Amino acid sequence: MVLKIMFPMLSIIDNKNVDKKNIREVLVKMIDSYIKTHTIKKEAHEELMAMSCLDKDVANIFNDKEMLLTMKISGILVKGGLNCNNIEEKMV
């Protein structure tokens, strides 16, 4: 549940076959999901972020999920035809 609150975009990527035809649709859904989740559950988001500052294990979980999300989005962009050097570093 906690990871779904913080990273709703992962379930969209994992449950959708992304290709050049639907890349825009998937990215729009991801952004909308991110905004909706962080708006509706703002207090939960703030509490989880505070926990990540106090607990290394929680911070590591969030860091790992952020890196996973970065890798998946960069993979989608490359698959969609956006090829650039060091895309992961440019996304962070």
Side-chain angles (χ1 to χ4, degrees), residues 15-66:
N15 296 322
K16 187 104 174 153
N17 187 15
V18 182
D19 58 28
K20 286 184 179 183
K21 294 178 184 175
N22 68 355
I23 191 170
R24 179 178 171 81
E25 171 193 343
V26 171
L27 292 174
V28 166
K29 282 184 180 181
M30 289 174 62
I31 293 167
D32 287 346
S33 173
Y34 183 84
I35 292 169
K36 180 180 176 186
T37 300
H38 285 77
T39 302
I40 291 173
K41 299 173 179 128
K42 184 178 179 183
E43 293 83 14
H45 177 263
E46 290 171 353
E47 288 294 323
L48 292 168
M49 292 308 298
M51 285 175 52
S52 72
C53 292
L54 299 172
D55 187 319
K56 282 188 177 184
D57 291 335
V58 174
N60 287 336
I61 291 169
F62 287 133
N63 186 53
D64 291 347
K65 291 300 179 186
E66 286 174 4

